Amino acid sequence: MQQIFYMNQTKTHIAEDSDTELLIDNDSGCQLVVWNDEVNSFEWVIATLVEVCGHSTEQAEQCAMIIHTKGKYGVKDGSYDYLKPMCDAITDRGIGATVEELSEH
């Protein structure tokens, strides 16, 4: 019996063994990066992160400050398929965003 669970909003599955079940994360190798610009206000970026990414206001404020000071920030991790619609929604609002593959150390 195959079951599908959602963990941290990325697709996972249960690998069933005779005695144990192991939760395996299949798709978390990407990051949604939001870029700084001189056009969009802090309030607009914060509202976008809350509405599109599901961040709390406090989390969105912290992300906006990091984006402003560092030039960009990875605001969400997950699979490409999970992050791409968020990226599109953010760019549709006039904010620069990309989905980037996480580098393995």
Side-chain angles (χ1 to χ4, degrees):
M1 174 172 83
Q2 184 174 2
Q3 300 173 333
I4 295 185
F5 290 87
Y6 290 88
M7 178 177 185
N8 294 331
Q9 300 172 342
T10 61
K11 198 176 213 179
T12 61
H13 77 274
I14 296 290
E16 296 190 33
D17 192 303
S18 59
D19 295 319
T20 61
E21 292 183 5
L22 176 64
L23 186 63
I24 300 170
D25 188 351
N26 289 330
D27 300 316
S28 62
C30 293
Q31 189 172 57
L32 176 59
V33 176
V34 176
W35 296 82
N36 188 44
D37 62 35
E38 299 301 322
V39 178
N40 292 290
S41 69
F42 273 89
E43 292 78 17
W44 182 240
V45 173
I46 291 165
T48 297
L49 293 174
V50 169
E51 293 169 19
V52 173
C53 298
H55 287 359
S56 67
T57 302
E58 294 79 15
Q59 184 180 15
E61 289 170 352
Q62 291 172 350
C63 289
M65 184 55 70
I66 295 169
I67 292 164
H68 176 71
T69 58
K70 300 287 185 180
K72 67 177 183 174
Y73 184 64
V75 299
K76 196 117 176 143
D77 292 344
S79 71
Y80 179 85
D81 291 338
Y82 173 67
L83 298 174
K84 181 64 168 122
M86 289 183 203
C87 182
D88 292 343
I90 291 170
T91 59
D92 286 348
R93 292 172 176 230
I95 300 170
T98 54
V99 176
E100 299 182 5
E101 192 171 321
L102 291 171
S103 62
E104 294 190 28
H105 295 63

